[in-house]
Structures are given as C-alpha cells and as structure tokens.
Amino acid sequence: MKKYLFLFSAFFLALQLKAQTLKPDVFIVGNNNAAVAAAIQAAQPNVKTVLLLQSGGFDIAPVGNDLHSGVQETFIKKMKAYENQNDSLAALKFDKHIANIVLSKWTDSIKNLTVIKNVLWIKADRAGKGWVFKLSDGKTVRPEVLINIADQKLNAALKIAATGATSWAKFDYQNSIYKTNVAAGKNIDGSTNTTLSLYQLLMPAQENLVYVSDASSMLMGQSAGAVAAYAGFFNLKTSESNLKRIQGELIAFNMNLIPFADVGTKDSNWKAIQMVGITGMLKAEEINGKLLFNAEKLVSTADIREPMSAHYYKAQIWFDDHKSEVITIEDALSMICYVGNKAPESTRKEVEKKWKTTYGFVTDFNPERQVSKRELVVMLQDYMPPFNVTIDKTGKILR
C-alpha cells in the first residue's frame, strides 16, 4: 500500500511541477509602453506570449505627438472611447488609472496572451537556444524568444552588452537602410521623420533576443513583438528573420513602416502607399520635419525611371521607348503590362472596373490623363508590387 502511495505522490508531484512550467513562444518583462505593445502584437498571430508585470499594473507614459499607427493608434482610440472624448487622436487627456483599465481589458481579451502580475523574476539564464526564468511564485518560464525592454538588471543577469544598441534614426532617402524599416514616426524634437530598421532590434551575438532601447515607445514595442513572434511561431532563430514577412505582418496590423504624415491609416489606399512607399519607388518630400507623400501629385517620367529600372530589368527597355516627359494612365498600364507580363487588353478592362469600386478613387478613369502618385502606387501594388523584390540587410536590391 505504501508503495502505491509513494508512486501516486511522485506522479502528482511531477504533474504539479509540469503545471508550474510555462513554455511560451515569446516572453516579455516590463509594464511600460513598449512591453505592452510588444505583447499585444506578438500574441496576435496565434503565438503563445507571456508578459510579466513585476510591479502590479501597467505603468504607461503619455504617448506624445508621434505619427500614430498600429497598437499605439488603437490604444489612443480605446482611451478616448472609454472617456467619451472626441474621436480625434490629438490632445488625449491622459490618465494612468484609465490606461490601466483599458489595457487590462484589452490584454485579457487576447486569447494567446498571458499576463502575470505582481511576480518578480529571481533568476534568468540561457537554456539551449532559448531562455529560462525562475519566478518568485515558484513558476518557471522557458520561452523560445525573449524581448528585453532596455532592462539593465536583466542585461547584467544574462551578460548582455547593450551599450551599442541603436534607436530611432532620421529618415534619409540617401541611405537605403530605410527599406528595412519595421517602425516609423516617433516624435523627436518636433519631427516625426524618424525610422527604425529591423536589424536595430537584433543583437548578432544573442540569438532569440529582441532588444528594445526605447521603453516609452509603443511603436518600437510593436515592431519587436512582430520580430519575436515570427521566430517563435516558425521555430527559427531571430537571425533568420524574414524582413518582408515581418513588414507585411506589421502593415496588416496598421503599422506605419514609412512616416508619411499626410496619409493616415484611414486612407483607403494606405496599405498600397505604405508597401510601395517603403521601396522608394515614389518618393516623398520633407517639409518642417514631416515626410509628405503628396498622393495627388502627378507623376513624371523622371520621377520613376531610375527606381523602376533598378527594380526591374525590363523597365529600362520600356523607358528607352517612352519619350514623353509625363506618365499617363495609359502609359502606366503599358509599363505594368510590359514589365509584369500582363495581357494589355484584359488588364486595362480590370483596372477600369476596379477604379472606383476596389480602388476607391474619386477621379474618373481617363487613360489619356496624367497619372497621380496615388493611382500609380495602387496599380503597381495590384499587378507588379515592387515590395516583393528582394533586398539585403542594407536595403540594396538583390536580383
């Protein structure tokens, strides 16, 4: 009888220990802006995510005058809805207590997200390609990927040298690294003309670690969540991050990759403008620290000849035959069909049918009229997206 009781006790203890071990894909420590945005984003695509709040609730700082998008934009809308404030994103009357209520309800509603409150991590270490954390309540967390939100104590415990970690950079068309952006629009010194490359979140010497240097930024936090989720979901190393897949995921969750201040997420063509804009195919203009796309501006041959030829070999041949200084809608369709190997007649009919319905254009379809940036971007994204062209870690086109 004692033998059976011993076996039962051992079996029960084994089950209890197993129940005390959490094995999420992604683990985040922190109760700041970046931590909560990272957790919300990471958990969206069916990725098991654990957020450890060591000191009670969320400690959220006012989001400021960033170029709002993604989780940050949704958070502001939820705050305003709770307080019955005007729907405008500007001039949010920020209240930390209300922020806690809003974020608690939001995170509680996310299926794959577990939030642990008022529990400390007491030991942190590597465990194979992943990590292991011992918590003050006796639980153990063994995540595949860790998001470290500039936590110096955690850096010391894990022997992470974060002194070289980079943060927001000024947008510059002369440096093709902007094509690797995973966040944009942080307000720095009155300018939202700022960007963040995927590779600024990774540490070459630390696999499966995503490092966030700006704890106050939901924008950076969301991008970190997407990077960590990709590695966790596909059981990959963070060094194997697929830039285009991660960028596409962020755009799917309304995140700006390029800081066009004049084209917001409510614009019916926002997605196409972001996806083509990040390639540099049609460039914006910087005015007073803001990057303006000017979607209704008409397109000249000089605007697109060089970037189009850089993306597609066949484009150079088309431009050699195109002598006009302007690009009409008919010219745009001709170029798309020639370079993208589309049937001219059927493509023209499809575009005309989609013009006001699918594309939501307010203009009439007139092939002889000069094409606008908005119209060209949408047609390119629909029929031969430059977003799909492969680039390297510096943003250089690979063909």
Side-chain angles (χ1 to χ4, degrees):
M1 183 67 179
K2 290 182 179 180
K3 179 180 179 182
Y4 288 116
L5 285 174
F6 173 78
L7 290 174
F8 178 79
S9 298
F11 177 71
F12 181 77
L13 179 61
L15 285 178
Q16 194 175 35
L17 289 173
K18 185 176 180 181
Q20 289 179 339
T21 299
L22 303 176
K23 295 183 178 181
D25 299 305
V26 177
F27 183 55
I28 307 116
V29 178
N31 58 359
N32 47 54
N33 296 38
V36 69
I40 290 170
Q41 175 62 44
Q44 296 298 333
N46 294 320
V47 172
K48 291 182 180 178
T49 303
V50 172
L51 173 61
L52 181 67
L53 305 183
Q54 298 190 90
S55 56
F58 299 97
D59 185 19
I60 303 300
V63 293
N65 295 318
D66 298 341
L67 187 60
H68 306 303
S69 66
V71 169
Q72 179 166 298
E73 183 177 39
T74 303
F75 168 64
I76 294 173
K77 288 179 179 177
K78 286 179 177 290
M79 286 280 287
K80 285 185 170 290
Y82 186 89
E83 295 184 287
N84 294 315
Q85 292 185 34
N86 187 287
D87 188 47
S88 170
L89 291 179
L92 171 68
K93 296 176 182 177
F94 189 81
D95 183 295
K96 280 194 175 185
H97 175 67
I98 293 175
N100 255 285
I101 295 172
V102 168
L103 288 172
S104 293
K105 286 185 177 180
W106 191 1
T107 53
D108 286 347
S109 70
I110 299 174
K111 179 181 178 182
N112 298 295
L113 175 58
T114 300
V115 179
I116 302 175
K117 298 182 180 181
N118 292 315
V119 175
L120 303 176
W121 65 268
I122 54 178
K123 187 177 180 181
D125 207 347
R126 273 284 184 185
K129 71 173 186 177
W131 309 85
V132 58
F133 285 79
K134 299 292 185 181
L135 306 186
S136 59
D137 65 352
K139 290 187 175 66
T140 299
V141 183
R142 292 180 172 271
E144 290 292 320
V145 185
L146 168 66
I147 299 179
N148 184 355
I149 315 290
D151 187 327
Q152 299 308 315
K153 182 182 175 183
L154 201 52
N155 286 343
L158 298 172
K159 297 179 176 60
I160 295 170
T163 54
T166 54
S167 188
W168 297 97
K170 187 178 184 299
F171 184 90
D172 182 6
Y173 275 120
Q174 300 306 310
N175 186 349
S176 60
I177 193 69
Y178 75 86
K179 296 180 182 180
T180 68
N181 281 356
V182 287
K186 170 73 173 182
N187 184 350
I188 298 177
D189 298 327
S191 171
T192 56
N193 189 6
T194 54
T195 61
L196 179 80
S197 167
L198 162 68
Y199 305 104
Q200 290 175 271
L201 295 170
L202 305 181
M203 289 187 169
Q206 295 284 353
E207 284 288 6
N208 288 7
L209 171 70
V210 182
Y211 193 83
V212 175
S213 60
D214 185 355
S216 69
S217 175
M218 285 189 168
L219 301 174
M220 190 182 288
Q222 183 175 358
S223 63
V227 174
Y230 180 82
F233 184 81
F234 291 105
N235 195 28
L236 297 171
K237 299 175 182 177
T238 47
S239 62
E240 298 174 295
S241 295
N242 184 309
L243 172 67
K244 297 294 185 177
R245 290 284 295 273
I246 291 169
Q247 286 179 325
E249 184 75 7
L250 285 165
I251 286 179
F253 285 96
N254 291 332
M255 180 76 160
N256 281 327
L257 299 184
I258 190 164
F260 294 146
D262 57 338
V263 184
T265 57
K266 289 184 178 180
D267 190 299
S268 60
N269 304 128
W270 172 83
K271 181 178 179 179
I273 290 172
Q274 281 287 312
M275 296 189 85
V276 176
I278 196 66
T279 69
M281 182 65 70
L282 284 161
K283 293 181 171 57
E285 180 182 7
E286 182 183 357
I287 299 177
N288 297 326
K290 308 293 182 185
L291 201 64
L292 305 180
F293 185 68
N294 295 316
E296 314 315 323
K297 183 180 178 181
L298 300 180
V299 180
S300 70
T301 301
D303 290 334
I304 63 167
R305 179 171 187 142
E306 183 180 340
M308 185 67 72
S309 298
H311 280 78
Y312 306 100
Y313 287 124
K314 289 182 69 176
Q316 184 60 57
I317 301 172
W318 187 87
F319 279 107
D320 288 344
D321 293 332
H322 180 75
K323 305 303 181 184
S324 175
E325 294 181 0
V326 303
I327 301 290
T328 64
I329 293 173
E330 189 68 52
D331 293 333
L333 288 169
S334 169
M335 177 180 65
I336 287 169
C337 291
Y338 179 77
V339 178
N341 298 316
K342 307 295 181 184
E345 187 176 346
S346 60
T347 301
R348 187 182 188 280
K349 288 181 179 178
E350 284 179 11
V351 169
E352 184 175 7
K353 185 177 180 181
K354 294 176 180 178
W355 198 257
K356 290 192 175 183
T357 53
T358 304
Y359 299 155
F361 296 151
V362 296
T363 55
D364 292 328
F365 179 78
N366 178 3
E368 297 179 2
R369 176 175 56 77
Q370 190 171 358
V371 71
S372 71
K373 292 172 74 175
R374 176 188 297 276
E375 293 160 348
L376 180 57
V377 157
V378 171
M379 288 190 286
L380 285 173
Q381 179 60 26
D382 200 8
Y383 288 96
M384 49 174 286
F387 181 82
N388 292 348
V389 174
T390 305
I391 60 175
D392 67 11
K393 290 183 178 181
T394 69
K396 182 182 177 181
I397 296 170
L398 299 176
R399 295 191 300 184

